[in-house]
Amino acid sequence: MHQYVIPAAFALFVWWFSTGAIIYLDGLPRRTFKWSMLGASAVLLACLWGLHDTAGRTTVGAAYLAFFYGLFAWGWQEISFYMGYVTGPRRAPCPENCAGWRHFGHAVQTSLWHELAIIATAGLVVALTWGQPNQIGTWTFMVLWWMHQSAKLNVFLGVRNLNEEFLPEHLTFLKSFLRKRPMNLLFPFSITISTVIAVLMFQRAGAAPTAFARVGGMFLGTMMSLAILEHWFLVLPLPAARLWKWSLRSRAPARPFAVEIVAGFLGAGKTTFMRRRLAMLAEQPAASREKTVVLVNDFATVGIDGSLLRGQGADVVELPNGCICCSLRDDLATQLEEVVARFAPDRVLIEPSGVADLASLIGVIQRPTIAGFVRDLRVITLIDAGAFLADFAEMQAHLTVQARLASLVVINKTDLVSPTERLLVEATLHRLSPETRLVTACYGAVPPAALRPDPAPDAAPPHAPPHAPPHAHDHAHDHHAHDHAHHHDAPHDHHDHHDRDDTAHGHHDDHEHDHHDHDHGAAAGFASWHGPLGPLCDAEAIGRVIEAAARGTFGPVARLKGLARVGRGWIQFDVAGHHASMAAFAAAEGESPRVVAIGRDLDETGLAAAFAGCELHLAT
């Protein structure tokens, strides 16, 4: 039995550790790259000699050595590419709107020298072991080549998990060649072929007459199984990147960064405000412009705001799987640590969902692995002026917590209320937190001066928001946020036509309606539903459906939003605060028409039927 189990465990460990070691070395300062490359080249030469030396021996020890040599010979290919020494003639992103064979050609150019180097090394490995009985090292190299090519094509064609955090900064242009989608047509073939080969290798190992052949077969079968596992990691919602989280520690930021949290209920105008904030930062002189990363998160399973924030001069990272709250603290902490390690930003803007636990979010940022790099933390809370009275009647405790935690409260959409109502909102917020600064806005437009940090010398420490109560940073048991969870976890949305920033970046073409499975949301009676739309829809029909949704025809809809292709273009549409709106939308390549609804006791069947009726069927 040990001739089967031990080789499999050895192959698994060496594959995992060597992959992490390469990521770790690639995260070190670039001045170290030449030494890493020299070391890897020396290892490659030693492995080539070792493959030739063991090719004529058929002992168990020779099988282990040959496997090791084959795997580490492959390691040189990975290091030479990810450190930028052997890549390709193209080192620039693909031009906008580039598609088809031209796009594929540009992708090939990014790694042409790398692929030719693999072919040359493979030829050398085959030549050094030609005609000899020990081919384990050669076949190990070939299996790794298969894993590489298949995974690379699948990522190019589109997968759910791109794991962009492992892409080094000097290769960020490669992101323009990655496509995010649930699956592609090549994936089933890749999985099937790999599975057949793995089964044949394991069968051969089981029937092998010698210990050498059994060990060698287990090595190759295990590597092929890892190829299958790597492919499933690309499409399943699994935190596969955590396997190598330790390897990202070499990418610790060289300088501290500022954090801005833009909070508020669904529909308060957070994304509109974020776009204006990004535009404001982009207007800074190039010499002093800060590197900005945006972290966005949504209540629904389908990502919403990421695509609208892209192209605004900042890197955008989406945190999937619902709202930032106590159940997702570890996910958020992991994501934020990886963002810091990956991008080394000067500023991080965080847009949590409208039902996020703000105290828990601040608690995550206070963790020792992150807090040491945070030079300033500010919380900007947006309030929908028109919905404030209804919100206060239902969520007084939650509004009190948000007002006290905020460095600045933006009373948004004031053009939709009377002066008396605006003064009422201001007076109430002053009573909740007398020292919190207030500013009024329309369409999320805030004067730049209002967003500058308070220079007062007696201000709170840079890692805590001004005027925050001592208990607010206890992310485990904040008594305001915890005792009233049934209030602040409800996606009580009061959105109107001012906030149309609700398109999705993730391409979910699932044909089954999905519910947001979340304890707090379920306790409050809220759930999310989403479904695909037809490839071409009638804008007038969509308008009638969302107007009906605003009237409550499909149940109490707190928020409804979606993208649809109409005629020669796209629209984005939404319903919130009993208001329905539509606007033009510039869709990215590969965008999927879809709709998301959040509310209590939704008529999902009615929603699905209504939106299905919006599809246009062209005559053939």
Side-chain angles (χ1 to χ4, degrees), residues 569-586:
W570 287 73
I571 60 169
Q572 56 183 100
F573 56 89
D574 59 57
V575 173
H578 306 295
H579 294 276
S581 64
M582 291 194 298
F585 172 67

Side-chain angles (χ1 to χ4, degrees), residues 38-123:
L38 285 172
S41 299
V43 170
L44 173 64
L45 292 175
C47 289
L48 292 174
W49 177 87
L51 287 169
H52 177 69
D53 181 64
T54 57
R57 289 186 273 145
T58 56
T59 63
V60 170
Y64 274 86
L65 287 173
F67 170 77
F68 183 88
Y69 293 146
L71 190 146
F72 274 72
W74 176 262
W76 183 90
Q77 317 299 322
E78 297 292 279
I79 286 179
S80 65
F81 179 77
Y82 285 105
M83 290 189 175
Y85 286 100
V86 185
T87 54
R90 184 180 185 87
R91 291 175 175 264
C94 197
E96 242 181 278
N97 302 320
C98 181
W101 286 107
R102 185 164 171 258
H103 181 58
F104 180 76
H106 288 157
V108 170
Q109 291 174 27
T110 62
S111 59
L112 181 60
W113 311 144
H114 173 59
E115 300 301 335
L116 292 176
I118 294 175
I119 294 172
T121 306

Side-chain angles (χ1 to χ4, degrees), residues 208-292:
T210 66
F212 167 80
R214 286 192 288 272
V215 170
M218 287 302 300
F219 279 142
L220 299 178
T222 301
M223 293 306 295
M224 216 54 221
S225 299
L226 290 173
I228 298 168
L229 183 63
E230 275 194 351
H231 280 70
W232 281 117
F233 279 163
L234 295 175
V235 300
L236 294 178
L238 298 173
R242 291 188 181 181
L243 290 172
W244 295 282
K245 178 183 174 182
W246 58 273
S247 64
L248 292 173
R249 293 175 182 171
S250 61
R251 302 185 186 184
R255 57 186 180 275
F257 58 92
V259 176
E260 292 182 16
I261 301 172
V262 180
F265 295 124
L266 290 163
K270 297 188 299 296
T271 307
T272 300
F273 173 85
M274 288 278 282
R275 296 184 73 183
R276 293 186 181 277
R277 181 65 174 135
L278 288 172
M280 193 182 299
L281 294 171
E283 291 173 357
Q284 295 177 346
S288 60
R289 189 174 303 153
E290 295 181 320
K291 183 174 182 179
T292 302

Side-chain angles (χ1 to χ4, degrees), residues 495-497 499-502 546 559-562 572-576 579-582:
H495 177 71
D496 60 39
H497 62 282
D499 186 14
R500 294 179 177 137
D501 297 331
D502 299 317
I546 63 176
R559 186 65 178 277
L560 184 149
K561 44 196 169 181
Q572 56 183 100
F573 56 89
D574 59 57
V575 173
H579 294 276
S581 64
M582 291 194 298

Side-chain angles (χ1 to χ4, degrees), residues 536-614:
L536 189 64
C537 291
D538 180 2
E540 292 186 6
I542 289 178
R544 290 192 293 270
V545 173
I546 63 176
E547 289 288 350
R551 293 193 301 268
T553 303
F554 306 106
V557 174
R559 186 65 178 277
L560 184 149
K561 44 196 169 181
L563 292 173
R565 183 163 190 166
V566 297
R568 299 172 61 186
W570 287 73
I571 60 169
Q572 56 183 100
F573 56 89
D574 59 57
V575 173
H578 306 295
H579 294 276
S581 64
M582 291 194 298
F585 172 67
E589 181 187 356
E591 199 75 74
S592 299
R594 57 202 176 277
V595 59
V596 179
I598 301 171
R600 289 189 178 100
D601 301 320
L602 296 176
D603 180 5
E604 299 180 12
T605 303
L607 281 168
F611 280 107
C614 297

